[in-house]
Amino acid sequence: MTEKKFVYSFAEGDGKNKKLLGGKGANLCEMTQIGLNVPPGFVVSTEACLSYLDSPQQQLPAGLMEEIRTHMRALEESTGKGFGDAHNPLLVSVRSGSAMSMPGMMDTILNLGLNRQTLEGLVRQSGDQRFAYDAYRRFIQLFGKVALGIADAKFDEPFEAVKQREGVRADLGLTTEHLREISEIFLGVVQEETGRPFPEDVYEQLEIATKAVFGSWMGRRAVDYRREFHITPEMANGTAVNVVTMVFGNMGDDSATGVGFTRNPATGENQMFGEYLVNAQGEDVVAGIRTPKPVQAMEEEMPDLFRKLLELRNKLEAHYREVQDFEYTIEKGTLYCLQTRNGKMNATAMVRTSVEMEGEGLISRHQALLRIQPELLEQLLHPLLDPNHEATPIDQGLPASPGAASGEAVFDADRAQLMGQAGEKVILVREETKPEDIHGFFAAQGVLTSRGGKTSHAAVVARGMGKPCVAGAEGIQVNVQSRTARIGGKLLHEGDVITIDGGNGNVYLGEIPTVAPDFSTHLHTLLGWADEIARLKVMTNVDTPEAAQRALEYGAMGIGLCRTERMFNAQERLPLVVEMILASTPEEREAALGRLLPIQQADFEGLFKVMAPRPVTIRLLDPPIHEFLPTERQLEHELGHLRQLRSTVEGVEDLMGAMQFLQTACGGSAELPLPFNSNGVPLIDEAIAKKELMLHKVRELFEVNPMLGHRGVRLGITYPEIYSMQIRAALQAAVACQREGFEVHPEIMVPQVCTSQELLRITPMVEAIQQELEEEHGIKLQFKFGTMIEVVRACMRAGKLAEVAEFFSFGTNDLSQATYSFSREDAENKFLPFYNENGILQDNPFEVLDVNGVGQLMKIAVEWGRKSRPDLKVGICGEQGGHPSSIRFCHQIGLNYVSCSPPRVPIARLAAAQAVLLEAESTPS
Ligand code: ADP
Ligand code: MG
Ligand code: MG
């Protein structure tokens, strides 16, 4: 049997094979091979690690130590030193490193190869006794702690004791004698703790260290980390061991050690960034024992070396074509590079470096677009909590709408409005919200609720307004009367300041500063490139001109979904809507709708003008109409109060009568305010009658399952006056805009359609109004008529629907619910987390499009739809339309556009371009 190769010298290892050599090892090989000054060394592969971990008694694979010895001999040859040689010793570092960096892996051991004999050699080599003893005691401690698992305190305590006894504060104050004494104490600690003397044999040291590195792969922190971040064996499997010849940054004032980024990772600025320490060993920079200097100071302090460092930086970037995070050491004027990896940067820096590196010719436009995770852009659009804050959350809910906000807690919408108008910053805290709370949303910085998921009223409205929202933070109890709430076990009073983070669902007590978002010219440039490449258009879901304006700034190419019911919810309109619902005859209803018409028309005009000449998709009324009425319980409650009030008012009247009779108390006959004067009782009776009518209507409209009930096109067909008003409002708005010289492209969209027969009931309405308006104004109207596809049957009948509809828009929120037969709120609140944690479902299908199920329905619908209408325009307007992997799928099945909330527009633009660039990689199954 030929033995497997486990060990690769830096000169031979494949720098691209991180899985085999780990990230650190692969890059050490790569750097060596492109001629950078890396101390000689070798990598023991992750395969050796896996073999070790798989063996029953944790044994190194056969022949491994032999192979390591061979490579050590090569090191000896190239350095001219001997491993274990008492005169001219070779020392090495032993470093872990897997394909992905993770906490919990073994820390680096420096100076391995020291023992009583080689120590003397090191003294001779360096001519510096203190240096040698310092290296020795560091090695014993690191090896003891890291490889032998001895607690830090066992070394720290005696060390501190010596310092105290000698009255020395900084380690630098210790003399050779002190360090010699400390080394002896440390050797004693090892004997004490392990029951064996410190290993003197240098190969034994190396073997123990190697095994310790391998073992750390299964350490608890590493295992937990891999589970938490879904790091699969395909991504990283086992850790490699890197053995590197020691170089010393602590050999005097021409020696130093440092860490750096080739560009500024916070701003992206094209300037080397980092810190260094003169006369120090690597770990000192990170350990914070001494305060390092900014790398720019080196230009003055060591100008020659600074130039060499700049050269290193330029070579790294020129080779990796990516910002590098690197570590280096200078030994007596010679610069060594000890590590490099791609730099982790925030979104601002990623965007700026993409644009600038493209400009410098370092990367192509495609690479500039591909190197940024679209989701990262979200950081750039919402205020964020100051990343340096240290507050602990008092409660956590679902991250329902991104961004962070602080304000005084208020517990009902009216108070929120009052305080908001008074200029206070408020957070609206409710158990749940309803359409009549909308004025509170406008006044609030953010919304916190305890019930409902990501499609709860609060979540959807907040997202539409671009305000942060945390929903479903369980255990919040609001007491509106006493203006208090219990949140996460704390009692809050109105006015107590809280902070919510809609990005992760955290709720904090007190104010945490936020940092402003930054939509830079670099981002505009980058997304401009994206638009040139993308095939999908990116539209937005908005209902107001203000939101439309914001979406435009983010680069929206039209409105893919305007939910007209949002317009009904505005405070001054709700009474009209209620009147329309309470109407007992079509005539009464038409009268109420007649008053809504100009308002709705004005809404559309506003949207059309902002968006001109881009398309605006108007969805006709969708929710069941009882959503606009108060709940049965609330009405009963109010009626109870009104009846009580009525008897109180009667009582006051009696009292006044009695007082007049007595003729004592009041001289004049001052008028009483309503409702305590003679008009009071009839007024209250009128109110009672109205509320009773509402209650009656609410009971009449009651549905067991409203989401599957009388809504959408079903409502539009049975109450044709409503859709007729909306269609008229849209087309009249188009006429008005056209006459003012705006180019408008309305698209009228019918929700909840399951059969073309439904559409065929709506088309005559459209045609009649169109004809009337065109004749009246002598113009031609340009618009499209289409349907939502959000019912499974609609997918199956797509061919037939496309005979009537000029466009499809997949409503994947409802379509996913229908395909799974899950109601989203119940799923997210009850069992989806369990399903996700236990791998029954990979993702939340309401966030990430379920490509295998829902996606297949979409694919069929697109195919069949285009068979009957080849130029059928198809888009998606569900929430998934803003999710990068879903966007990629939409691209693959040939959609024309995705539509998402304004803050997701930039993400979608980038994802749409990446979909094209990644096309070659895979095709949909
Ligand atoms: P980490 O993964 O924690 O960054 P490293 O293996 O990079 O661990 O080691 C930590 C520090 O130890 C490095 O920054 C470097 O300064 C120092 N170091 C590692 N190997 C050597 C070596 N061969 N010579 C000198 N210093 C070294
Ligand atoms: Mg480490
Ligand atoms: Mg490092």
Side-chain angles (χ1 to χ4, degrees):
M1 172 183 123
T2 54
E3 263 175 15
K4 198 177 166 74
K5 181 175 172 66
F6 287 116
V7 185
Y8 300 82
S9 75
F10 291 167
E12 67 181 337
D14 175 5
K16 302 283 174 285
N17 199 344
K18 294 196 174 151
K19 204 140 166 242
L20 181 71
L21 304 176
K24 197 181 281 172
N27 278 328
L28 285 167
C29 294
E30 182 104 346
M31 288 194 294
T32 303
Q33 291 162 34
I34 63 170
L36 298 182
N37 197 24
V38 176
F42 56 86
V43 194
V44 186
S45 75
T46 56
E47 286 175 352
C49 172
L50 295 179
S51 160
Y52 169 81
L53 292 172
D54 281 348
S55 67
Q57 253 124 26
Q58 308 277 275
Q59 291 196 318
L60 294 178
L64 179 65
M65 278 317 291
E66 263 322 301
E67 217 182 328
I68 289 178
R69 275 173 196 271
T70 310
H71 281 269
M72 284 304 295
R73 279 195 289 277
L75 278 195
E76 292 175 329
E77 232 161 81
S78 64
T79 60
K81 299 176 183 172
F83 193 46
D85 184 320
H87 299 283
N88 188 17
L90 168 65
L91 303 185
V92 295
S93 66
V94 176
R95 317 163 71 186
S96 61
S98 72
M100 305 191 57
S101 78
M102 63 186 70
M105 301 294 290
M106 199 192 78
D107 284 340
T108 295
I109 296 175
L110 301 175
N111 308 334
L112 188 135
L114 277 177
N115 57 23
R116 288 186 191 280
Q117 272 83 50
T118 56
L119 176 63
E120 296 310 320
L122 187 63
V123 172
R124 258 193 299 279
Q125 233 175 28
S126 62
D128 185 342
Q129 237 188 353
R130 189 186 178 284
F131 160 81
Y133 274 97
D134 193 40
Y136 191 38
R137 63 98 191 168
R138 281 178 199 248
F139 170 56
I140 304 166
Q141 174 165 6
L142 261 181
F143 190 89
K145 171 187 149 195
V146 171
L148 302 174
I150 300 170
D152 250 341
K154 299 282 179 199
F155 296 105
D156 288 344
E157 281 161 18
F159 187 71
E160 285 306 314
V162 172
K163 274 165 76 177
Q164 210 147 44
R165 191 193 67 207
E166 300 295 327
V168 170
R169 276 226 218 96
D171 294 2
L172 275 174
L174 293 167
T175 63
T176 309
E177 262 323 300
H178 298 145
L179 293 169
R180 188 202 302 271
E181 180 189 352
I182 289 168
S183 304
E184 289 303 326
I185 296 175
F186 282 3
L187 290 173
V189 169
V190 171
Q191 169 81 50
E192 180 100 338
E193 294 298 316
T194 62
R196 298 179 52 201
F198 188 86
E200 285 285 301
D201 180 316
V202 292
Y203 275 103
E204 189 185 344
Q205 292 175 358
L206 192 52
E207 183 169 345
I208 292 174
T210 302
K211 286 179 172 171
V213 171
F214 288 164
S216 71
W217 179 254
M218 295 309 291
R220 242 201 56 214
R221 268 178 75 208
V223 172
D224 286 349
Y225 184 87
R226 291 199 292 275
R227 191 174 41 228
E228 179 71 24
F229 290 92
H230 306 289
I231 296 177
T232 60
E234 285 67 46
M235 297 156 81
N237 205 6
T239 174
V241 177
N242 302 287
V243 177
V244 189
T245 306
M246 279 303 300
V247 290
F248 297 98
N250 51 344
M251 280 199 156
D253 287 341
D254 55 353
S255 300
T257 182
V259 297
F261 277 82
T262 54
R263 299 181 192 223
N264 187 313
T267 64
E269 196 188 350
N270 184 4
Q271 191 186 36
M272 185 161 56
F273 176 89
E275 293 176 325
Y276 72 104
L277 267 176
V278 173
N279 195 12
Q281 215 169 22
E283 304 273 271
D284 297 347
V285 183
V286 198
I289 300 164
R290 286 162 55 193
T291 312
K293 296 181 189 168
V295 68
Q296 268 67 32
M298 195 190 283
E299 191 165 10
E300 290 224 337
E301 199 175 16
M302 316 168 126
D304 272 0
L305 283 165
F306 184 73
R307 233 182 313 103
K308 279 192 197 157
L309 196 60
L310 268 185
E311 208 177 287
L312 170 64
R313 167 217 188 230
N314 295 341
K315 280 185 182 162
L316 283 173
E317 275 207 352
H319 178 75
Y320 285 99
R321 295 166 189 276
E322 181 53 271
V323 176
Q324 294 296 296
D325 165 359
F326 64 110
E327 302 180 359
Y328 57 91
T329 283
I330 297 162
E331 179 183 308
K332 292 185 177 296
T334 306
L335 173 66
Y336 295 91
C337 191
L338 293 173
Q339 187 176 344
T340 194
R341 60 187 157 196
N342 291 346
K344 281 206 175 72
M345 284 169 280
N346 65 20
T348 307
M350 280 306 282
V351 171
R352 178 166 177 179
T353 51
S354 255
V355 173
E356 291 187 349
M357 290 198 298
E358 194 270 354
E360 295 158 28
L362 215 51
I363 55 177
S364 70
R365 224 163 247 205
H366 291 182
Q367 288 166 322
L369 288 166
L370 280 171
R371 72 190 267 279
I372 302 176
Q373 290 279 334
E375 295 281 1
L376 197 64
L377 299 184
E378 181 127 36
Q379 272 184 24
L380 302 176
L381 307 175
H382 299 283
L384 301 164
L385 287 186
D386 181 343
N388 297 318
H389 85 83
E390 281 169 0
T392 27
I394 54 166
D395 199 0
Q396 192 180 25
L398 298 167
S401 176
S406 302
E408 297 177 38
V410 282
F411 309 114
D412 70 293
D414 294 341
R415 295 288 303 165
Q417 188 178 36
L418 268 177
M419 292 172 65
Q421 280 165 352
E424 311 278 352
K425 288 185 167 185
V426 300
I427 304 285
L428 179 62
V429 182
R430 302 279 296 155
E431 287 179 10
E432 62 188 338
T433 62
K434 298 216 72 192
E436 61 264 27
D437 292 326
I438 196 81
H439 54 299
F441 278 71
F442 283 117
Q445 308 296 309
V447 181
L448 169 62
T449 68
S450 69
R451 261 183 253 141
K454 291 189 181 175
T455 45
S456 63
H457 175 264
V460 174
V461 174
R463 269 201 300 278
M465 290 186 186
K467 295 195 176 187
C469 174
V470 173
E474 294 206 356
I476 296 183
Q477 286 160 3
V478 172
N479 186 334
V480 177
Q481 267 74 37
S482 68
R483 296 192 193 159
T484 56
R486 203 159 263 294
I487 301 179
K490 294 220 160 38
L491 185 68
L492 262 71
H493 296 269
E494 181 179 293
D496 287 348
V497 175
I498 59 171
T499 298
I500 59 171
D501 185 342
N504 58 18
N506 282 343
V507 182
Y508 304 88
L509 219 49
E511 180 169 352
I512 297 172
T514 53
V515 289
D518 159 29
F519 206 97
S520 62
T521 47
H522 294 116
L523 185 54
H524 279 297
T525 306
L526 186 87
L527 293 178
W529 298 344
D531 294 346
E532 282 169 26
I533 288 171
R535 207 165 61 218
L536 282 170
K537 297 270 176 263
V538 177
M539 317 267 268
T540 188
N541 300 350
V542 297
D543 322 310
T544 63
E546 299 76 53
Q549 185 58 48
R550 201 159 63 99
L552 269 185
E553 282 155 24
Y554 292 163
M557 302 163 200
I559 296 179
L561 176 63
C562 164
R563 300 169 165 102
T564 49
E565 58 271 18
R566 298 285 177 75
M567 300 167 162
F568 282 15
N569 270 328
Q571 208 189 5
E572 68 280 11
R573 302 169 187 190
L574 202 54
L576 290 177
V577 177
V578 169
E579 213 171 289
M580 182 269 288
I581 296 170
L582 295 182
S584 47
T585 63
E587 290 74 34
E588 271 178 44
R589 182 166 306 113
E590 271 181 45
L593 284 166
R595 292 202 276 153
L596 275 172
L597 173 70
I599 302 176
Q600 183 115 83
Q601 182 179 331
D603 288 334
F604 292 147
E605 283 179 35
L607 283 176
F608 290 167
K609 284 180 188 168
V610 170
M611 273 295 166
R614 302 170 186 81
V616 174
T617 313
I618 291 166
R619 180 179 70 185
L620 301 176
L621 190 69
D622 183 40
I625 50 178
H626 60 72
E627 281 207 354
F628 299 101
L629 297 177
T631 62
E632 183 173 4
R633 247 186 71 203
Q634 191 182 343
L635 283 167
E636 282 166 349
H637 194 70
E638 286 174 15
L639 273 166
H641 280 160
L642 282 171
R643 290 191 184 111
Q644 266 178 2
L645 184 63
R646 187 185 195 282
S647 88
T648 307
V649 168
E650 275 177 342
V652 171
E653 271 181 27
D654 288 348
L655 173 69
M656 292 311 292
M659 291 206 304
Q660 256 164 12
F661 182 71
L662 292 172
Q663 291 223 329
T664 46
C666 38
S669 60
E671 268 291 299
L672 282 167
L674 277 170
F676 295 103
N677 64 24
S678 55
N679 294 328
V681 173
L683 198 72
I684 294 168
D685 280 340
E686 205 180 304
I688 290 177
K690 185 112 189 174
K691 294 280 174 183
E692 276 176 340
L693 179 62
M694 279 167 95
L695 181 60
H696 178 75
K697 198 76 189 179
V698 166
R699 288 182 178 145
E700 186 184 297
L701 292 175
F702 172 80
E703 291 179 310
V704 175
N705 198 334
M707 283 304 117
L708 302 179
H710 196 182
R711 59 176 289 207
V713 69
R714 277 102 72 177
L715 194 69
I717 287 173
T718 45
Y719 295 89
E721 311 82 45
I722 300 179
Y723 272 19
S724 176
M725 181 280 283
Q726 291 197 298
I727 294 164
R728 180 176 289 279
L731 295 186
Q732 286 184 4
V735 170
C737 290
Q738 237 166 291
R739 292 171 67 116
E740 281 184 56
F742 290 93
E743 187 188 337
V744 293
H745 295 279
E747 309 206 341
I748 293 171
M749 181 160 82
V750 187
Q752 298 291 334
V753 170
C754 64
T755 159
S756 60
Q757 288 306 315
E758 287 169 327
L759 286 178
L760 288 170
R761 294 296 177 106
I762 309 296
T763 41
M765 293 186 201
V766 178
E767 280 158 12
I769 295 169
Q770 175 189 8
Q771 202 178 351
E772 178 200 317
L773 291 177
E774 286 183 346
E775 273 167 23
E776 188 184 331
H777 298 280
I779 51 174
K780 257 324 289 130
L781 280 168
Q782 295 289 333
F783 70 95
K784 281 194 162 70
F785 178 79
T787 180
M788 296 274 288
I789 303 282
E790 52 189 333
V791 169
V792 177
R793 192 174 191 281
C795 298
M796 298 296 101
R797 303 297 291 155
K800 208 71 190 150
L801 291 178
E803 288 173 9
V804 190
E806 295 164 283
F807 69 89
F808 285 175
S809 176
F810 288 104
T812 45
N813 294 346
D814 274 333
L815 187 58
S816 300
Q817 297 203 81
T819 306
Y820 278 91
S821 288
F822 289 175
S823 93
R824 177 171 184 177
E825 301 215 344
D826 293 324
E828 286 183 345
N829 286 330
K830 305 227 164 71
F831 56 85
L832 251 187
F834 180 89
Y835 266 42
N836 290 149
E837 271 161 36
N838 291 278
I840 299 169
L841 284 177
Q842 277 305 323
D843 293 303
N844 176 347
F846 302 108
E847 283 172 5
V848 182
L849 186 69
D850 160 44
V851 167
N852 297 329
V854 179
Q856 296 311 302
L857 286 170
M858 292 168 67
K859 201 173 159 210
I860 289 172
V862 174
E863 269 171 38
W864 292 355
R866 292 217 173 112
K867 241 179 228 155
S868 37
R869 187 188 290 269
D871 64 345
L872 182 75
K873 177 175 170 181
V874 189
I876 176 175
C877 63
E879 239 179 278
Q880 297 94 335
H883 192 282
S885 69
S886 314
I887 291 171
R888 192 157 168 218
F889 178 78
C890 291
H891 167 85
Q892 288 166 335
I893 60 169
L895 261 48
N896 301 90
Y897 70 88
V898 297
S899 188
C900 53
S901 65
R904 298 208 66 94
V905 167
I907 297 170
R909 289 165 70 194
L910 181 55
Q914 290 189 354
V916 175
L917 299 174
L918 296 170
E919 205 157 28
E921 275 186 23
S922 77
T923 41
S925 52

